[in-house]
Amino acid sequence: MSQPRRVEISEDGGLSILWDDGHQAGYAPARLRLACKCAVCEDEWSGERRLRADSIPAGIRALGVKPVGRYGLQIDWSDGHSTGIYTFDRLRVLCECPACLTAPRG
Ligand SMILES: [Zn+2]
Ligand SMILES: [Zn+2]
């Protein structure tokens, strides 16, 4: 599993992660907020989304980020939400840089 070498909040309030394999990833704040998989945002049994894209405030941004064990990150969002944990595996999949968008996933 990839580990982040450096994690920063980017100017737009999203995240910028440099992975230990040298990959530089960027995450837009609204998309990352929507990807939250905590029990508030997604039903853990059915997998049904409870969080709707149009319920995310405009201008949402990450206020803080901290490591959770050796497997993920917890993000404090400007809408007061902070219960979601983003695992490193998931963050790798969520990367939207041109290289990841064109590379086969798996
Ligand atoms: Zn959540
Ligand atoms: Zn990428």
Side-chain angles (χ1 to χ4, degrees), residues 44-81:
E44 56 186 311
W45 298 110
S46 67
E48 184 188 329
R49 300 296 305 171
R50 290 176 173 167
L51 177 70
R52 291 158 46 106
D54 58 12
S55 68
I56 295 176
I60 182 94
R61 49 188 302 124
L63 301 177
V65 57
K66 62 183 178 191
V68 178
R70 295 179 64 82
Y71 67 94
L73 298 174
Q74 183 180 353
I75 301 171
D76 281 324
W77 292 104
S78 58
D79 63 355
H81 193 71

Side-chain angles (χ1 to χ4, degrees), residues 19 23-27 92 94-101 105:
W19 294 95
H23 191 77
Q24 178 67 59
Y27 304 89
R92 282 305 294 240
L94 286 170
C95 182
E96 279 190 308
C97 78
C100 288
L101 287 179
R105 302 283 169 95

Side-chain angles (χ1 to χ4, degrees), residues 19 27 32 73 86-95:
W19 294 95
Y27 304 89
L32 200 55
L73 298 174
Y86 296 77
T87 63
F88 298 150
D89 278 353
R90 184 157 164 73
L91 285 165
R92 282 305 294 240
V93 173
L94 286 170
C95 182

